Amino acid sequence: AEAEVKKEREKAIAVDAALAKEEAEVKKEQEKARAAGDAAPAAKAEEGKAQEAADAEKDKEAAVAEKEQHGSSGAHGAGGTGQVGILSAFQATKGIKFLPFQKVLDFGRIPRSSEGLTVQAAELEEDTFKIFVSHRWLSPWWPGAGFQPPKLDHRPDGKDEGHPDRTGHPKYELLVAALLRMQADGWIPKDIDKVALWIDFACIDQDGKNPADELNESMIRLVGLCDMVVTPVVDDEWPDGEDWEGFKSRSDMEGAVGGVAEGYKAKAWKEYWKRAWCLLEMLYAANVPFSLELVEERGFGGDLLGFVRDKSVRPHALFGTREFKLEEAPLLLAPLKDDVLATNDPSKGQLTSENDRSTIERHVRELLITNLVRMREIPRAVSEYG
């Protein structure tokens, strides 16, 4: 275990050095571009307004490039720059896309990546409130589930492949309702243009060779950029399902042994709560660094701000058919740490393919060891993972 901890520290130092070199090269190239841009209008001033317009466009492009290089406080403000806090803002946002909330509203359903509605993380304003949508697709359904989803829509290209929603777009409806409710309650910014989402179907290339690999490579950076996690839960059995008996009120669920996570009786949530990949996303949300210093600047307010100050962790909200029909606010989940983690370890969760087990175990181990190293508790890292 000592060797593994040492290896993680050496890896961090090596990555930091490599990124510093990369950013220096990018900056050098941008300085050359600016020099060339400054000389051009001076030499061709007589060309008048047409040349001035061209220069203005060039300045705009340089500004975007500068923002990509240096990032913004948005890269730090929602939990550090990812990669155990050692990456620059430039590297933290590189390759990560978000979906502006306004575009979600305009589109009327969860868009696929091929719709081209996403924007690069570096292009977002510094105070944009970023939400990670953690969910289970309604199709395909994992083998062994005790129930099946209703008929599903086909993909836009006609292929009978997976989709996060189904006919009627109930998950989309829940997601939009959750965000609008949080805005109304002052939990998140009321300005729609200040809110953006990350949802796999839209933000990962669904036509790529292996979309899951793309997420694996960027998970820690992605979660580090996000201010909160939201899970929409489509529940066809509310309020008549047998499992809901005795747990229909908010106080019933919050007072259950294990809290909301155990007291929420929707079958779709129960499946989410068992799945290794879903638990892994919860683990990242609770353990990737989160900055309390910038929560008000980012737009946290109301009960959400109180929760964050109390728990000192990135919040995870659950919003299902029950909350939608009762017109209630989302439920906030206890972070996947300590005792909650001990009984809900992602590495012991259910998987469609057991081949993924070693990947899950590696993610869990590396994240928890890195957290201890970050807190300078190396002896504890050696003791617990030796």
Side-chain angles (χ1 to χ4, degrees):
E2 289 185 16
E4 186 169 349
V5 172
K6 182 178 180 182
K7 182 178 179 180
E8 287 296 321
R9 297 178 68 185
E10 291 175 345
K11 185 193 297 184
I13 293 171
V15 171
D16 199 27
L19 293 176
K21 181 178 179 182
E22 178 182 347
E23 290 189 72
E25 292 175 353
V26 171
K27 186 175 182 180
K28 184 177 180 181
E29 290 301 315
Q30 289 180 331
E31 288 174 349
K32 288 181 180 179
R34 288 194 200 95
D38 291 340
K44 300 181 179 180
E46 67 278 6
E47 294 182 11
K49 293 183 179 180
Q51 182 61 51
E52 290 178 6
D55 291 341
E57 184 63 26
K58 188 177 295 183
D59 288 342
K60 180 180 178 181
E61 292 174 358
V64 172
E66 179 74 7
K67 193 169 186 179
E68 288 180 349
Q69 178 185 352
H70 294 295
S72 67
S73 62
H76 298 269
T81 55
Q83 295 291 8
V84 302
I86 63 164
L87 295 189
S88 64
F90 167 66
Q91 192 68 12
T93 60
K94 189 175 182 180
I96 293 178
K97 300 175 182 178
F98 283 91
L99 183 63
F101 186 28
Q102 184 62 64
K103 291 187 178 182
V104 177
L105 294 174
D106 293 341
F107 197 67
R109 60 186 185 276
I110 299 174
R112 191 175 184 274
S113 59
S114 53
E115 300 290 344
L117 299 181
T118 56
V119 299
Q120 295 292 332
E123 296 176 18
L124 295 173
E125 295 297 326
E126 295 181 4
D127 56 352
T128 300
F129 193 99
K130 296 179 277 295
I131 298 172
F132 182 100
V133 180
S134 177
H135 64 126
R136 294 196 63 234
W137 286 24
L138 297 186
S139 172
W141 215 239
W142 66 279
F147 60 103
Q148 296 292 321
K151 184 178 179 181
L152 303 162
D153 279 329
H154 290 288
R155 277 179 23 166
D157 58 11
K159 293 181 180 179
D160 188 13
E161 295 187 8
H163 194 285
D165 215 339
R166 70 173 194 231
T167 302
H169 312 293
K171 183 180 288 185
Y172 167 84
E173 185 178 43
L174 290 179
L175 187 58
V176 168
L179 269 63
L180 292 178
R181 176 57 189 256
M182 290 193 292
Q183 286 185 315
D185 289 352
W187 287 21
I188 66 176
K190 294 183 184 295
D191 184 347
I192 287 178
D193 292 332
K194 297 295 185 183
V195 179
L197 294 80
W198 186 93
I199 184 165
D200 48 10
F201 193 58
C203 300
I204 291 180
D205 183 6
Q206 297 301 309
D207 296 314
K209 185 176 181 180
N210 192 331
D213 281 352
E214 183 178 335
L215 177 58
N216 281 336
E217 291 298 319
S218 62
M219 176 71 82
I220 198 167
R221 295 187 296 120
L222 170 61
V223 174
L225 289 169
C226 292
D227 296 282
M228 77 176 298
V229 178
V230 171
T231 296
V233 178
V234 177
D235 177 21
D236 296 317
E237 298 187 353
W238 169 264
D240 301 320
E242 293 181 4
D243 291 340
W244 279 111
E245 196 62 37
F247 288 93
K248 290 187 177 181
S249 76
R250 203 173 184 92
S251 59
D252 288 336
M253 291 181 287
E254 292 174 339
V257 176
V260 172
E262 297 292 345
Y264 200 80
K265 298 303 180 180
K267 286 185 176 178
W269 170 255
K270 289 182 179 180
E271 300 304 335
Y272 175 99
W273 187 234
K274 294 177 183 177
R275 304 298 291 168
W277 285 108
C278 296
L279 289 171
L280 183 65
E281 290 177 359
M282 293 185 70
L283 180 69
Y284 270 95
N287 291 276
V288 172
F290 181 78
S291 173
L292 290 175
E293 297 177 358
L294 296 172
V295 292
E296 291 187 55
E297 175 186 318
R298 188 71 75 242
F300 283 83
D303 290 344
L304 189 65
L305 178 59
F307 177 90
V308 167
R309 284 177 170 167
D310 179 49
K311 303 295 184 182
S312 299
V313 71
R314 180 179 291 99
H316 186 166
L318 184 164
F319 190 88
T321 302
R322 176 195 172 280
E323 289 64 53
F324 177 72
K325 291 188 174 181
L326 295 180
E327 298 184 354
E328 290 187 359
L331 292 153
L332 294 170
L333 297 161
L336 199 59
K337 288 185 171 185
D338 305 323
D339 292 343
V340 181
L341 174 59
T343 55
N344 299 279
D345 187 339
S347 62
K348 296 179 175 61
Q350 295 177 344
L351 288 165
T352 301
S353 172
E354 278 298 319
N355 292 333
D356 291 339
R357 183 75 59 192
S358 61
T359 301
I360 295 287
E361 291 173 343
R362 174 177 57 81
H363 276 292
V364 172
R365 185 179 180 85
E366 288 183 355
L367 181 58
L368 297 181
I369 288 177
T370 301
N371 270 354
L372 292 174
V373 171
R374 183 186 299 112
M375 293 185 293
R376 298 182 181 179
E377 295 188 17
I378 295 177
R380 181 181 167 192
V382 174
S383 174
E384 294 187 8
Y385 299 97

